Every structure is written in C-alpha cells, then in structure tokens.
Amino acid sequence: MSNVMGVPASTAVIFMRQLREAKLLSKSGRGRAAADMTPLDAARAMVAMAATPRPFHAVEAHDQFANTKLAQHSTGGLLDTLPETDGISAVAALIERYVNGQVDQHFKTTGVTWEARASAVDLVFMVTPPVSIQFRIVVNNQLVESRNYIQEGAVAPQADLREYRRLSGRTFMALADAFNAFMREDFLSA
C-alpha cells in the first residue's frame, strides 16, 4: 500500500493501525493466519491516505468520505457499474474490477489504446468540506464518463481546487498487480 500510494512505509503502517483499531480493516490472527486485505480494506486505506497527510486523522478522513452519496453521473459505461451507496464502496468496487481485469477488458472492447488505458480513469478527492469523490474517465482529453459522490446533506459551494488529491488509473493498476501477485504467491505456496 505504501508503494502504491507513495507514502513512506512507516507512515502507511500508522494509517493502517489507526483504521484497524477503529475496526475499519479486516483483522484476524498473525503471520500466515493474518487476514488478507480485501478491496474494501484497500479502499478505506486509499481514501484515508488520499484525504489527509496525517495518519492520526485517518479515521476522521475515512468517516467523512464514508458519508458521501451519489450526486450525479453519466449514463452507461464502466462507472455505472459502481454502487450508489457511498464513495468508499464505489472505490472498493473499482479496485475489485481492476483486480478481476474488468477495467482492462472494458477498455479493450471500447478500443482505447494501452497507453491511454493506464491513465484514462482517475479519482479526484476534494478534501475541503463538503468532501467529494469524483470518478472520471477521460480519453483523448475528452470526459467520457463521470460519477460524483458528495458529502450527504451538503450543498456544493465553489470547490477550493487547492485542496484535492488525484489518483490515476496507474495507481489502481499497481494495486491490482499487487493483489494478483499476492494471490499467485499464496496459491503457489499452498
């Protein structure tokens, strides 16, 4: 997770510990009996790390984004397969689709080149209240699909564009590769 999110390993450990202590991450056993990271665990960690540089604010940041609801979306396409419940569940679903190869398959069938596939999907986390997560697919500098989850009950004022964090498709591809490598390693060692 630290490699994927570009944060020092020691900082990622604190983020994860804060989330685990708040019972937001899977937990069981130690060593080989430890819980595997699920897409929801990865989404919660990614959202917390994207939302705040301070690991001791991880739970607060998570809770703000867990309180986001679907506000607007384009019709059709990959993003319409994401759940409408909340932004973190949508991030988890997107991770799961990357891990299962569905995003890559979608882009193959729509004729998007390999180079564009790596950067076509991006998520923008607006971290000033009201917080929001904007899912976008941009191909050849054109917005093809979008989905926006905004803090429930909020009326969106003009966003402060100095306070955002963007995660690209490359981040999700790297995370999917890490998940798949872990699964292969686990399978081969069994």
Side-chain angles (χ1 to χ4, degrees):
M1 186 58 76
S2 69
N3 289 341
V4 169
M5 292 302 294
V7 299
S10 58
T11 303
V13 166
I14 298 170
F15 269 105
M16 303 300 271
R17 185 179 326 128
Q18 294 296 313
L19 293 170
R20 192 170 295 108
E21 288 174 358
K23 298 182 181 1
L24 295 171
L25 297 181
S26 301
K27 183 180 177 183
S28 71
R30 293 185 178 272
R32 293 186 59 75
D36 292 335
M37 180 173 275
T38 66
L40 183 57
D41 293 336
R44 288 175 170 163
M46 288 177 83
V47 168
M49 289 181 200
T52 180
R54 299 178 185 98
F56 292 105
H57 293 148
V59 174
E60 178 185 329
H62 165 274
D63 291 349
Q64 284 184 319
F65 283 94
N67 191 26
T68 56
K69 300 295 178 206
L70 181 63
Q72 63 187 36
H73 62 91
S74 60
T75 56
L78 177 71
L79 297 182
D80 271 358
T81 67
L82 302 180
E84 297 182 6
T85 51
D86 62 86
I88 292 179
S89 296
V91 173
L94 183 61
I95 291 169
E96 193 168 355
R97 281 158 181 72
Y98 267 99
V99 170
N100 294 332
Q102 293 168 314
V103 173
D104 194 42
Q105 186 59 39
H106 172 72
F107 286 142
K108 279 181 187 173
T109 59
T110 57
V112 176
T113 64
W114 174 254
E115 298 79 20
R117 265 187 256 170
S119 60
V121 175
D122 70 359
L123 269 65
V124 178
F125 294 87
M126 301 303 292
V127 298
T128 52
V131 301
S132 67
I133 305 174
Q134 300 168 4
F135 293 71
R136 304 182 309 186
I137 296 181
V138 179
V139 179
N140 297 328
N141 294 323
Q142 288 189 335
L143 182 65
V144 178
E145 295 179 46
S146 66
R147 203 163 175 91
N148 189 18
Y149 293 79
I150 191 164
Q151 200 166 14
E152 192 170 31
V155 176
Q158 185 65 30
D160 183 352
L161 295 178
R162 295 171 297 175
E163 297 293 329
Y164 74 93
R165 176 81 187 270
R166 179 182 170 270
L167 299 180
S168 73
R170 283 180 172 73
T171 303
F172 289 90
M173 289 172 74
L175 185 63
D177 289 345
F179 263 103
N180 289 325
F182 178 77
M183 287 181 209
R184 281 191 301 272
E185 180 182 305
D186 197 43
F187 177 75
L188 293 173
S189 66

